[in-house]
Coordinates of all heavy atoms in Angstrom, one line a residue:
M778 N 0.9 -1.3 0.1 CA 0.1 0.1 0.0 C 0.8 1.3 -0.1 O 0.6 2.2 -0.7 CB -0.9 -0.1 1.3 CG -1.9 1.0 1.2 SD -3.1 0.8 -0.1 CE -4.1 2.2 0.0
E779 N 2.0 1.3 0.8 CA 2.8 2.4 0.8 C 3.4 2.5 -0.5 O 3.7 3.8 -1.0 CB 4.0 2.1 1.9 CG 3.6 2.5 3.2 CD 3.3 3.9 3.4 OE1 3.9 4.8 2.9 OE2 2.2 4.2 4.0
K780 N 3.8 1.5 -1.3 CA 4.4 1.7 -2.6 C 3.3 2.5 -3.6 O 3.8 3.3 -4.3 CB 4.8 0.2 -3.1 CG 5.6 0.3 -4.4 CD 6.0 -1.1 -4.7 CE 6.9 -1.2 -5.9 NZ 7.3 -2.4 -6.3
I781 N 2.2 2.0 -3.6 CA 1.2 2.8 -4.3 C 1.0 4.2 -4.0 O 1.0 5.1 -4.8 CB -0.2 2.0 -4.2 CG1 -0.1 0.6 -4.7 CG2 -1.3 2.7 -4.9 CD1 -1.4 -0.3 -4.5
K782 N 1.1 4.5 -2.7 CA 1.0 5.9 -2.3 C 2.1 6.7 -2.8 O 2.1 7.7 -3.3 CB 0.8 6.0 -0.8 CG -0.5 5.8 -0.2 CD -0.5 5.9 1.3 CE -1.8 5.4 1.9 NZ -1.8 5.7 3.4
T783 N 3.3 6.2 -2.7 CA 4.6 6.8 -3.0 C 4.5 7.0 -4.6 O 4.9 8.1 -5.0 CB 5.8 6.0 -2.6 OG1 5.7 5.7 -1.3 CG2 7.0 6.7 -2.9
Y784 N 4.2 6.1 -5.3 CA 4.2 6.3 -6.7 C 3.2 7.2 -7.2 O 3.2 8.0 -8.2 CB 4.0 4.9 -7.6 CG 5.3 4.1 -7.5 CD1 5.3 2.8 -7.0 CD2 6.4 4.6 -8.0 CE1 6.4 2.0 -7.1 CE2 7.7 3.9 -7.9 CZ 7.5 2.6 -7.5 OH 8.7 1.8 -7.5
G785 N 1.9 7.2 -6.5 CA 1.0 8.0 -6.8 C 1.3 9.5 -6.6 O 1.0 10.4 -7.4
F786 N 1.8 9.8 -5.3 CA 2.3 11.2 -5.2 C 3.5 11.5 -6.0 O 3.5 12.7 -6.5 CB 2.9 11.3 -3.6 CG 1.7 11.2 -2.7 CD1 1.8 10.4 -1.5 CD2 0.6 12.0 -2.8 CE1 0.8 10.4 -0.6 CE2 -0.4 12.1 -1.8 CZ -0.3 11.2 -0.7
L787 N 4.3 10.6 -6.4 CA 5.4 11.1 -7.3 C 4.7 11.4 -8.7 O 5.2 12.3 -9.3 CB 6.3 9.9 -7.5 CG 7.5 10.1 -8.4 CD1 8.4 11.2 -7.7 CD2 8.3 8.9 -8.5
F788 N 3.8 10.7 -9.1 CA 3.1 10.9 -10.4 C 2.4 12.2 -10.4 O 2.5 13.0 -11.3 CB 2.1 9.7 -10.7 CG 1.3 10.1 -12.0 CD1 2.0 9.9 -13.3 CD2 0.1 10.4 -11.9 CE1 1.2 10.2 -14.4 CE2 -0.7 10.7 -13.1 CZ -0.2 10.6 -14.3
L789 N 1.7 12.6 -9.4 CA 1.0 13.8 -9.2 C 2.0 15.0 -9.1 O 1.7 16.0 -9.7 CB 0.1 13.9 -8.0 CG -1.2 12.8 -8.2 CD1 -1.9 12.8 -6.8 CD2 -2.0 13.3 -9.3
F790 N 3.0 14.8 -8.5 CA 4.0 15.9 -8.4 C 4.6 16.2 -9.7 O 4.7 17.3 -10.1 CB 5.2 15.5 -7.4 CG 6.3 16.4 -7.2 CD1 6.1 17.6 -6.5 CD2 7.4 16.2 -7.9 CE1 7.0 18.5 -6.5 CE2 8.5 17.2 -7.8 CZ 8.3 18.2 -7.0
T791 N 4.9 15.1 -10.4 CA 5.4 15.2 -11.8 C 4.4 16.0 -12.7 O 4.8 16.9 -13.4 CB 5.8 13.9 -12.4 OG1 6.7 13.2 -11.6 CG2 6.5 14.1 -13.7
V792 N 3.2 15.5 -12.6 CA 2.2 16.3 -13.5 C 2.1 17.7 -13.1 O 1.9 18.6 -14.0 CB 0.8 15.6 -13.4 CG1 -0.3 16.4 -14.0 CG2 0.9 14.1 -14.0
F793 N 1.9 18.0 -11.9 CA 1.7 19.4 -11.5 C 3.0 20.3 -11.6 O 2.9 21.5 -11.7 CB 1.1 19.4 -10.0 CG -0.1 18.9 -10.0 CD1 -0.5 18.1 -9.0 CD2 -1.2 19.5 -10.9 CE1 -1.9 17.6 -8.8 CE2 -2.5 18.9 -10.8 CZ -2.8 18.0 -9.8
T794 N 4.1 19.7 -11.5 CA 5.4 20.4 -11.7 C 5.5 20.9 -13.3 O 5.9 22.0 -13.6 CB 6.6 19.6 -11.4 OG1 6.5 19.1 -10.1 CG2 7.8 20.3 -11.6
N795 N 4.8 20.0 -14.1 CA 4.8 20.4 -15.5 C 4.0 21.6 -15.8 O 4.4 22.4 -16.6 CB 4.3 19.2 -16.3 CG 4.5 19.4 -17.8 OD1 5.3 20.3 -18.2 ND2 3.9 18.5 -18.6
F796 N 2.9 21.9 -15.0 CA 2.1 23.0 -15.1 C 3.0 24.3 -14.7 O 3.0 25.3 -15.4 CB 0.8 23.0 -14.2 CG -0.2 22.0 -14.8 CD1 -0.9 21.1 -13.9 CD2 -0.6 22.1 -16.1 CE1 -1.7 20.3 -14.3 CE2 -1.6 21.3 -16.6 CZ -2.1 20.3 -15.6
M797 N 3.7 24.1 -13.6 CA 4.4 25.3 -13.1 C 5.6 25.7 -14.0 O 5.9 26.7 -14.1 CB 4.9 24.9 -11.7 CG 3.8 25.0 -10.7 SD 4.4 24.8 -9.0 CE 4.9 23.1 -9.0
A798 N 6.2 24.7 -14.6 CA 7.2 25.0 -15.6 C 6.9 25.7 -16.8 O 7.6 26.6 -17.3 CB 7.7 23.6 -16.1
F799 N 5.6 25.6 -17.2 CA 5.2 26.3 -18.4 C 4.5 27.7 -18.0 O 4.0 28.4 -18.8 CB 4.3 25.5 -19.3 CG 5.0 24.4 -20.0 CD1 4.9 23.1 -19.6 CD2 5.9 24.8 -21.1 CE1 5.5 22.1 -20.4 CE2 6.5 23.8 -21.7 CZ 6.4 22.5 -21.4
A800 N 4.4 28.0 -16.8 CA 3.7 29.3 -16.3 C 4.5 30.5 -16.6 O 5.7 30.4 -16.5 CB 3.3 29.1 -14.8
A801 N 4.0 31.5 -17.0 CA 4.7 32.8 -17.3 C 4.9 33.5 -16.1 O 4.0 33.8 -15.4 CB 3.9 33.6 -18.4
D802 N 6.1 34.0 -15.9 CA 6.4 34.8 -14.9 C 6.1 36.3 -15.1 O 5.5 37.0 -14.3 CB 7.9 34.8 -14.5 CG 8.3 33.3 -14.0 OD1 7.4 32.8 -13.3 OD2 9.4 33.1 -14.0
E803 N 6.4 36.8 -16.2 CA 6.2 38.2 -16.6 C 4.9 38.4 -17.5 O 4.7 37.6 -18.4 CB 7.5 38.7 -17.2 CG 8.7 38.7 -16.3 CD 9.8 39.3 -17.0 OE1 9.7 39.9 -18.1 OE2 11.0 39.1 -16.5
P804 N 4.2 39.4 -17.3 CA 3.0 39.6 -18.2 C 3.2 39.8 -19.6 O 2.4 39.8 -20.5 CB 2.3 40.7 -17.4 CG 3.3 41.4 -16.8 CD 4.4 40.5 -16.4
G805 N 4.5 40.4 -20.0 CA 4.6 40.6 -21.5 C 5.3 41.9 -21.6 O 5.8 42.6 -20.8
D806 N 5.3 42.4 -22.8 CA 6.1 43.7 -23.2 C 5.0 44.8 -23.2 O 4.1 44.8 -24.1 CB 6.7 43.5 -24.5 CG 7.6 44.8 -24.9 OD1 7.8 45.6 -24.0 OD2 7.8 44.9 -26.1
F807 N 5.2 45.8 -22.2 CA 4.3 46.9 -22.3 C 5.0 48.2 -22.8 O 4.5 49.3 -22.6 CB 3.8 47.2 -20.8 CG 2.9 46.2 -20.3 CD1 3.3 45.3 -19.4 CD2 1.6 46.2 -20.8 CE1 2.4 44.3 -19.0 CE2 0.7 45.1 -20.2 CZ 1.2 44.3 -19.4
G808 N 6.1 48.0 -23.5 CA 6.8 49.2 -24.0 C 6.3 49.9 -25.3 O 6.5 51.1 -25.2
D809 N 5.5 49.2 -26.0 CA 5.0 49.9 -27.2 C 3.7 50.3 -27.0 O 2.7 49.4 -26.9 CB 5.2 48.8 -28.4 CG 4.8 49.5 -29.7 OD1 4.7 50.7 -29.8 OD2 4.5 48.6 -30.7
P810 N 3.4 51.6 -27.0 CA 2.0 52.0 -26.9 C 1.0 51.7 -27.9 O -0.2 51.7 -27.8 CB 2.1 53.5 -26.7 CG 3.3 53.9 -27.2 CD 4.2 52.8 -27.2
G811 N 1.6 51.5 -29.2 CA 0.7 51.1 -30.3 C 0.3 49.6 -30.5 O -0.4 49.3 -31.4
D812 N 0.9 48.8 -29.6 CA 0.7 47.4 -29.6 C -0.9 47.2 -29.1 O -1.2 47.5 -28.1 CB 1.6 46.8 -28.7 CG 1.6 45.2 -28.9 OD1 1.0 44.8 -29.9 OD2 2.4 44.5 -28.1
T813 N -1.5 46.4 -30.0 CA -2.8 46.1 -29.8 C -3.0 45.0 -28.7 O -4.1 44.8 -28.0 CB -3.8 45.7 -31.0 OG1 -3.1 44.5 -31.6 CG2 -3.7 46.8 -31.9
D814 N -2.0 44.1 -28.6 CA -1.9 43.0 -27.6 C -0.7 43.1 -26.9 O 0.3 42.4 -27.1 CB -2.1 41.6 -28.4 CG -2.3 40.5 -27.5 OD1 -2.6 40.8 -26.3 OD2 -2.1 39.4 -28.0
P815 N -0.8 43.7 -25.9 CA 0.6 43.9 -25.1 C 1.0 42.6 -24.2 O 2.0 42.4 -23.9 CB 0.2 45.1 -24.0 CG -1.2 45.0 -23.8 CD -1.8 44.5 -25.1
L816 N 0.0 41.6 -24.1 CA 0.3 40.4 -23.4 C 0.9 39.4 -24.4 O 0.1 38.6 -24.9 CB -0.8 39.8 -22.7 CG -1.3 40.8 -21.6 CD1 -2.6 40.3 -21.0 CD2 -0.3 41.1 -20.5
D817 N 2.2 39.5 -24.8 CA 2.7 38.6 -25.7 C 3.4 37.4 -25.1 O 4.4 37.0 -25.3 CB 3.9 39.3 -26.6 CG 3.2 40.5 -27.3 OD1 2.1 40.4 -27.7 OD2 4.1 41.4 -27.6
V818 N 2.4 36.6 -24.4 CA 3.0 35.5 -23.7 C 2.2 34.3 -24.2 O 1.0 34.2 -24.5 CB 2.5 35.6 -22.1 CG1 3.0 34.3 -21.4 CG2 3.2 36.8 -21.6
D819 N 3.0 33.2 -24.4 CA 2.3 31.9 -25.0 C 1.3 31.4 -24.0 O 1.6 31.5 -22.8 CB 3.3 30.9 -25.3 CG 4.2 31.3 -26.6 OD1 3.9 32.2 -27.3 OD2 5.4 30.9 -26.4
P820 N 0.2 31.0 -24.4 CA -0.8 30.3 -23.3 C -0.2 29.0 -22.8 O 0.7 28.4 -23.4 CB -2.1 30.0 -24.3 CG -1.4 29.9 -25.7 CD -0.2 30.9 -25.7
V821 N -0.7 28.7 -21.5 CA -0.4 27.5 -21.0 C -1.1 26.4 -21.6 O -2.3 26.5 -21.5 CB -0.5 27.7 -19.4 CG1 0.0 26.4 -18.7 CG2 0.3 28.9 -18.9
P822 N -0.6 25.3 -21.9 CA -1.3 24.1 -22.5 C -2.0 23.2 -21.4 O -1.7 22.1 -21.3 CB -0.3 23.3 -23.2 CG 1.0 23.6 -22.4 CD 0.9 24.9 -21.8
I823 N -3.1 23.8 -20.7 CA -3.7 23.2 -19.8 C -4.8 22.1 -20.3 O -5.0 21.0 -19.8 CB -4.5 24.1 -18.8 CG1 -3.4 25.0 -18.0 CG2 -5.5 23.4 -17.8 CD1 -4.0 26.0 -17.1
N824 N -5.2 22.6 -21.5 CA -6.4 21.6 -22.2 C -5.9 20.2 -22.4 O -6.7 19.2 -22.4 CB -6.9 22.3 -23.3 CG -7.7 23.4 -23.0 OD1 -8.2 23.6 -21.9 ND2 -8.0 24.3 -24.1
G825 N -4.6 20.1 -22.7 CA -4.0 18.8 -22.9 C -4.0 17.9 -21.7 O -3.8 16.6 -21.8
Y826 N -4.0 18.4 -20.5 CA -4.0 17.7 -19.3 C -5.3 17.5 -18.6 O -5.5 16.8 -17.6 CB -3.0 18.3 -18.4 CG -1.5 18.4 -18.8 CD1 -1.1 19.5 -19.3 CD2 -0.8 17.2 -18.9 CE1 0.2 19.7 -19.8 CE2 0.5 17.3 -19.4 CZ 1.1 18.5 -19.8 OH 2.2 18.5 -20.3
L827 N -6.5 18.0 -19.2 CA -7.7 17.8 -18.6 C -8.2 16.3 -18.7 O -8.7 15.8 -17.5 CB -8.8 18.6 -19.3 CG -8.6 20.1 -19.1 CD1 -9.7 20.9 -19.9 CD2 -8.9 20.4 -17.5
L828 N -7.9 15.7 -19.7 CA -8.2 14.2 -19.7 C -7.5 13.4 -18.6 O -8.1 12.6 -17.9 CB -7.9 13.6 -21.1 CG -8.1 12.1 -21.3 CD1 -9.6 11.8 -21.1 CD2 -7.6 11.6 -22.6
W829 N -6.2 13.6 -18.4 CA -5.4 13.0 -17.5 C -5.9 13.4 -16.1 O -5.9 12.4 -15.2 CB -3.9 13.3 -17.6 CG -3.3 12.6 -18.8 CD1 -2.9 13.3 -19.9 CD2 -3.3 11.3 -19.1 NE1 -2.5 12.5 -20.9 CE2 -2.6 11.3 -20.4 CE3 -3.3 10.1 -18.4 CZ2 -2.2 10.0 -21.0 CZ3 -3.1 9.0 -19.0 CH2 -2.5 8.9 -20.2
M830 N -6.3 14.5 -15.8 CA -6.8 14.9 -14.5 C -8.1 14.3 -14.2 O -8.3 13.8 -13.0 CB -6.8 16.5 -14.4 CG -5.5 17.1 -14.3 SD -5.4 18.9 -13.8 CE -6.4 19.6 -15.1
A831 N -8.9 14.3 -15.2 CA -10.4 13.6 -15.0 C -10.0 12.1 -14.7 O -10.7 11.5 -13.9 CB -11.2 13.7 -16.3
L832 N -9.2 11.5 -15.4 CA -8.8 9.9 -15.1 C -8.4 9.7 -13.7 O -8.7 8.7 -13.0 CB -8.0 9.4 -16.2 CG -8.5 9.3 -17.6 CD1 -7.5 8.9 -18.6 CD2 -9.6 8.4 -17.6
I833 N -7.4 10.6 -13.3 CA -6.9 10.6 -12.0 C -8.0 10.8 -10.9 O -8.1 10.0 -9.8 CB -5.8 11.6 -11.7 CG1 -4.6 11.1 -12.6 CG2 -5.3 11.7 -10.3 CD1 -3.4 12.2 -12.8
A834 N -8.8 11.8 -11.1 CA -9.9 12.0 -10.3 C -11.0 10.8 -10.2 O -11.3 10.4 -9.0 CB -10.7 13.2 -10.7
I835 N -11.2 10.1 -11.3 CA -12.2 9.0 -11.2 C -11.5 7.8 -10.6 O -12.2 7.2 -9.7 CB -12.6 8.7 -12.8 CG1 -13.4 9.7 -13.3 CG2 -13.2 7.3 -12.7 CD1 -13.7 9.6 -14.8
A836 N -10.2 7.6 -10.8 CA -9.5 6.5 -10.1 C -9.5 6.8 -8.6 O -9.7 5.9 -7.8 CB -8.2 6.4 -10.7
F837 N -9.2 8.0 -8.2 CA -9.2 8.3 -6.8 C -10.5 8.1 -6.0 O -10.7 7.5 -5.1 CB -8.6 9.7 -6.7 CG -8.6 10.2 -5.1 CD1 -7.7 9.6 -4.2 CD2 -9.6 11.1 -4.6 CE1 -7.6 10.0 -2.9 CE2 -9.5 11.4 -3.3 CZ -8.5 10.9 -2.4
A838 N -11.6 8.6 -6.9 CA -12.9 8.4 -6.4 C -13.3 6.9 -6.1 O -13.9 6.5 -5.2 CB -13.9 9.1 -7.3
M839 N -12.9 6.1 -7.1 CA -13.2 4.7 -7.0 C -12.4 4.1 -5.8 O -12.9 3.2 -5.1 CB -12.8 3.9 -8.3 CG -13.8 4.3 -9.4 SD -13.2 3.7 -11.0 CE -13.1 1.9 -10.8
F840 N -11.3 4.5 -5.7 CA -10.4 4.0 -4.6 C -11.0 4.4 -3.2 O -11.1 3.6 -2.3 CB -9.1 4.6 -4.6 CG -8.1 4.3 -3.5 CD1 -7.5 3.1 -3.3 CD2 -7.9 5.3 -2.5 CE1 -6.8 2.8 -2.1 CE2 -7.1 5.0 -1.4 CZ -6.4 3.9 -1.2
V841 N -11.5 5.7 -3.1 CA -12.1 6.0 -1.8 C -13.5 5.3 -1.5 O -13.7 4.9 -0.4 CB -12.3 7.6 -1.9 CG1 -13.2 8.1 -0.7 CG2 -11.0 8.3 -1.7
I842 N -14.2 5.1 -2.6 CA -15.6 4.3 -2.5 C -15.3 3.0 -2.0 O -15.9 2.5 -1.1 CB -16.3 4.4 -3.8 CG1 -16.8 5.9 -3.9 CG2 -17.6 3.6 -3.8 CD1 -17.4 6.2 -5.2
K843 N -14.4 2.3 -2.7 CA -14.0 0.9 -2.4 C -13.6 0.9 -0.9 O -13.9 0.0 -0.1 CB -12.9 0.4 -3.3 CG -12.5 -1.0 -3.1 CD -11.5 -1.5 -4.1 CE -11.1 -3.0 -3.7 NZ -9.9 -3.3 -4.5
K844 N -12.6 1.7 -0.5 CA -12.1 1.7 0.8 C -13.3 1.9 1.9 O -13.4 1.1 2.9 CB -11.1 2.8 1.1 CG -10.4 2.8 2.4 CD -9.3 3.9 2.4 CE -8.6 3.8 3.8 NZ -7.5 4.8 3.8
R845 N -14.2 2.8 1.6 CA -15.3 3.1 2.6 C -16.3 1.9 2.6 O -16.8 1.5 3.7 CB -16.0 4.3 2.3 CG -15.2 5.6 2.6 CD -16.0 6.8 2.6 NE -15.1 7.8 2.9 CZ -15.4 9.2 2.7 NH1 -16.6 9.5 2.5 NH2 -14.6 10.1 3.0
R846 N -16.6 1.3 1.5 CA -17.3 0.0 1.5 C -16.7 -1.0 2.3 O -17.5 -1.8 3.0 CB -17.6 -0.4 0.1 CG -18.6 0.4 -0.7 CD -18.8 -0.2 -2.0 NE -19.8 0.7 -2.8 CZ -20.0 0.5 -4.1 NH1 -19.5 -0.4 -4.7 NH2 -20.9 1.3 -4.6
E847 N -15.5 -1.3 2.3 CA -14.8 -2.2 3.0 C -14.9 -2.0 4.5 O -15.0 -2.8 5.4 CB -13.4 -2.4 2.6 CG -13.1 -3.0 1.3 CD -11.7 -3.1 0.8 OE1 -10.8 -2.6 1.6 OE2 -11.4 -3.6 -0.2
E848 N -14.8 -0.7 4.9 CA -15.0 -0.2 6.4 C -16.3 -0.5 6.8 O -16.4 -0.9 7.9 CB -14.5 1.3 6.5 CG -13.1 1.6 6.3 CD -12.8 3.0 6.4 OE1 -13.7 3.9 6.6 OE2 -11.6 3.4 6.2
I849 N -17.3 -0.4 6.0 CA -18.7 -0.5 6.3 C -18.9 -1.9 6.6 O -19.7 -2.4 7.5 CB -19.7 0.1 5.3 CG1 -19.6 1.6 5.4 CG2 -21.0 -0.4 5.5 CD1 -20.4 2.3 4.3
R850 N -18.4 -2.8 5.6 CA -18.7 -4.4 5.7 C -18.0 -4.9 7.1 O -18.4 -5.9 7.6 CB -18.0 -5.1 4.6 CG -18.9 -4.7 3.3 CD -18.4 -5.5 2.3 NE -19.1 -5.1 0.9 CZ -18.5 -5.2 -0.2 NH1 -17.4 -5.6 -0.5 NH2 -19.3 -4.8 -1.2
N851 N -16.8 -4.3 7.5 CA -16.2 -4.8 8.6 C -16.7 -4.3 9.9 O -17.0 -3.7 10.4 CB -14.7 -4.7 8.4 CG -14.2 -5.5 7.2 OD1 -14.7 -6.6 7.0 ND2 -13.1 -5.1 6.8

């Protein structure tokens, strides 16, 4: 059980570290007053990870439900 928790936390840490690595620190270049879009920052690719986050949430919910059912039976 400890092994599963360790690998689970390691996996989640890796996924969420990836989000932080692509986050923009500075808002962009505000030097040109004629610029129509002063926020020249690439968007963060969060949409690509929504499927993985949903699968992790479903797996976690199934784990919690199974654990509580076992506690009720005993």
Side-chain angles (χ1 to χ4, degrees):
M778 188 64 183
E779 278 298 314
K780 191 174 183 180
I781 293 172
K782 284 183 185 178
T783 304
Y784 286 127
F786 286 131
L787 184 63
F788 175 74
L789 290 175
F790 178 76
T791 305
V792 169
F793 292 129
T794 302
N795 195 8
F796 288 132
M797 291 186 289
F799 287 110
D802 290 336
E803 298 179 9
D806 182 20
F807 290 104
D809 186 14
D812 192 7
T813 58
D814 186 20
L816 300 175
D817 296 333
V818 178
D819 295 332
V821 179
I823 293 176
N824 289 341
Y826 296 104
L827 288 177
L828 177 64
W829 292 109
M830 288 191 299
L832 290 175
I833 291 170
I835 291 169
F837 180 71
M839 290 173 56
F840 172 75
V841 169
I842 290 170
K843 182 180 176 185
K844 186 175 178 180
R845 290 196 181 169
R846 282 185 183 169
E847 288 176 359
E848 288 176 359
I849 290 172
R850 288 181 187 158
N851 294 332

